[in-house]
Amino acid sequence: QLDAIRSQITILYNQEMTINGYCTPEKLKNQILGVEEKTHTLLVYFDKFLEHYKLKVGISTTWTTYTKYVLTRNKFEEFLNQKYNIKDIVLKELSLSIPQEFYLFLRTNKSANNDAMKHLQRLRAVLNFVKTMGYSDFIDPYLNFKMSFEKTNREYLERDEIESILNKKFISERLDKVRDLFIFSCYTGISFGDILELKAENICLAFDQNLWIMGKRKKTGEKFNIRLLDIPKEIIEKYSKSRKGDKLLPCITNQKMNEYLKEIAALCGINKNLTFHVARHSFATLCLTEGVPIESVSKMLGHTDIKTTQVYARIIDQKLSSDMDNLALKLNQKQTKEKKVS
């Protein structure tokens, strides 16, 4: 009888190793005794999380954010396979070293520090989801792990660089459209996703008798109100007769947009990594340079926290330095004139 049990255990063990890549004594015991065990594995819960999260797309989140969670899930599965040679991991087996090991895996696979930290943030959100689902019989691996983001310099364009793109004549119609959308964002600060959603109803005549763009950000749900300046107004009028449906501006995929912007940067002699988000950064820095209060810039950008806007405040230091140079020059000129008079 013992030999029969041993043989049964061996068969079940081999099945578990083939299917899941791991096996625990508790699982074998429950199978031998006929006790049904509810599997609590991380990727099973991750998939449940994705099912719930997908339902929020278009309501409280975006498809882009959803796909980032899918990417994190796939990265973590790849990590488990390479590090432990398993396809999934039981929540009870999560160790305190998992976040650090996952971080090192991401970095060695050419992820920048902040990108790796974003993946770890999403993984932590899934573990919090597990707890809200009523299962907490595991050690939180983030107890001793501290998230650490590096400060980055936001790429932006100077006014003369913006004007060089604005005034460039393109033979290609696709580059012409890309340029128009990019310049529109440079003078409104509206993100790529929100620009594609703009309709005629978003253009409103305000109390000051000026046209304003009024809408709500897809990413945060925050409202934004932006004065419609002459250049973006001309761009809207340019496409007024070729609109598709009720959208104000032409639609291009974000991937193609950034690919074409690299071409535009080369043609205009701009030696910067030009992406569509650079336009939003350029609008913020342009406003701050020209003395627009940071509170107003934050509201126009639709930021939920002014700290998000403060990353652009370094431009204020550059402006201060420039202003002091001008002051020093004027004072020196005044002193030179006074010496000549005396």
Side-chain angles (χ1 to χ4, degrees):
Q1 189 175 1
L2 288 172
D3 286 340
I5 293 172
R6 183 182 294 109
S7 177
Q8 188 182 2
I9 288 173
T10 303
I11 292 171
L12 291 171
Y13 172 80
N14 289 334
Q15 286 177 347
E16 287 297 314
M17 290 301 294
T18 301
I19 296 170
N20 298 317
Y22 68 93
C23 187
T24 63
E26 185 181 6
K27 189 175 186 67
L28 283 177
K29 183 187 75 172
N30 289 337
Q31 287 181 326
I32 293 294
L33 296 176
V35 177
E36 186 178 352
E37 182 188 30
K38 188 175 181 180
T39 306
H40 295 288
T41 61
L42 182 51
L43 291 182
V44 167
Y45 272 104
F46 210 135
D47 289 336
K48 289 180 181 178
F49 173 88
L50 289 173
E51 288 176 15
H52 285 251
Y53 202 85
K54 195 173 184 179
L55 297 174
K56 300 177 184 177
V57 172
I59 301 172
S60 58
T61 189
T62 64
W63 180 259
T64 302
T65 307
Y66 167 75
T67 57
K68 288 178 181 177
Y69 274 99
V70 173
L71 178 61
T72 298
R73 188 245 184 246
N74 294 338
K75 289 281 186 185
F76 191 75
E77 184 178 20
E78 187 182 343
F79 156 71
L80 290 177
N81 188 34
Q82 287 192 22
K83 179 69 178 179
Y84 298 104
N85 196 28
I86 59 177
K87 295 180 180 178
D88 200 351
I89 187 167
V90 176
L91 287 165
K92 287 182 180 179
E93 296 176 5
L94 288 174
S95 66
L96 294 173
S97 63
I98 284 287
Q100 185 63 35
E101 289 172 352
F102 186 37
Y103 171 78
L104 292 174
F105 164 80
L106 292 167
R107 292 306 307 270
T108 53
N109 283 273
K110 299 182 179 179
S111 286
N113 176 77
N114 290 357
D115 289 335
M117 285 297 162
K118 284 292 183 182
H119 282 298
L120 285 160
Q121 271 189 341
R122 295 181 202 116
L123 181 62
R124 185 170 60 183
V126 173
L127 290 173
N128 290 334
F129 169 78
V130 173
K131 293 176 184 177
T132 61
M133 293 290 286
Y135 185 77
S136 57
D137 191 18
F138 66 95
I139 298 172
D140 186 350
Y142 282 84
L143 286 174
N144 297 325
F145 185 80
K146 186 177 180 181
M147 306 292 289
S148 177
F149 287 91
E150 295 175 352
K151 290 184 178 180
T152 57
N153 290 325
R154 301 292 180 97
E155 193 79 272
Y156 68 96
L157 298 182
E158 303 284 354
R159 179 179 288 184
D160 60 334
E161 292 173 319
I162 295 173
E163 289 177 353
S164 69
I165 295 175
L166 173 63
N167 297 322
K168 184 73 174 178
K169 301 296 181 184
F170 295 110
I171 300 174
S172 168
E173 185 181 348
R174 63 179 173 84
L175 291 184
D176 196 54
K177 287 181 179 178
V178 169
R179 183 267 310 280
D180 289 342
L181 291 174
F182 182 80
I183 291 297
F184 187 88
S185 183
C186 283
Y187 286 94
T188 62
I190 302 176
S191 67
F192 178 74
D194 292 331
I195 282 178
L196 297 186
E197 295 298 318
L198 287 180
K199 301 176 183 178
E201 63 195 50
N202 294 116
I203 309 299
C204 306
L205 188 65
F207 67 94
D208 60 358
Q209 299 304 305
N210 288 306
L211 290 174
W212 286 67
I213 305 174
M214 299 182 181
K216 186 182 290 186
R217 291 206 67 200
K218 285 175 61 179
K219 184 177 180 180
T220 63
E222 285 291 306
K223 292 181 180 180
F224 62 81
N225 298 322
I226 302 161
R227 168 84 174 271
L228 186 59
L229 303 176
D230 289 342
I231 291 174
K233 188 188 298 183
E234 289 170 6
I235 293 172
I236 290 175
E237 290 172 355
K238 179 179 177 179
Y239 294 97
S240 61
K241 294 182 180 178
S242 59
R243 289 178 191 163
K244 292 184 179 180
D246 56 355
K247 300 296 173 64
L248 284 180
L249 297 167
C251 293
I252 300 172
T253 63
N254 194 25
Q255 183 180 3
K256 288 293 183 183
M257 168 67 70
N258 289 329
E259 182 183 316
Y260 296 155
L261 282 172
K262 302 290 187 293
E263 285 187 55
I264 289 175
L267 290 170
C268 295
I270 297 173
N271 188 25
K272 291 180 179 178
N273 181 27
L274 205 58
T275 64
F276 197 87
H277 217 57
V278 172
R280 188 166 161 84
H281 300 165
S282 301
F283 173 76
T285 51
L286 181 64
C287 288
L288 291 169
T289 304
E290 296 301 322
V292 178
I294 194 168
E295 294 82 5
S296 299
V297 176
S298 183
K299 190 164 184 64
M300 285 190 287
L301 291 174
H303 286 163
T304 54
D305 190 341
I306 199 167
K307 289 181 181 178
T308 309
T309 320
Q310 286 172 344
V311 298
Y312 303 106
R314 61 190 171 84
I315 193 66
I316 296 175
D317 295 333
Q318 294 180 10
K319 184 176 185 297
L320 180 61
S321 176
S322 176
D323 290 342
M324 290 305 294
D325 285 341
N326 291 333
L327 175 62
L329 181 62
K330 289 178 181 178
L331 290 175
N332 290 337
Q333 289 175 344
K334 185 178 180 181
Q335 288 176 352
T336 302
K337 190 181 290 185
E338 288 175 350
K339 283 181 181 179
K340 286 181 179 180
V341 172
S342 62

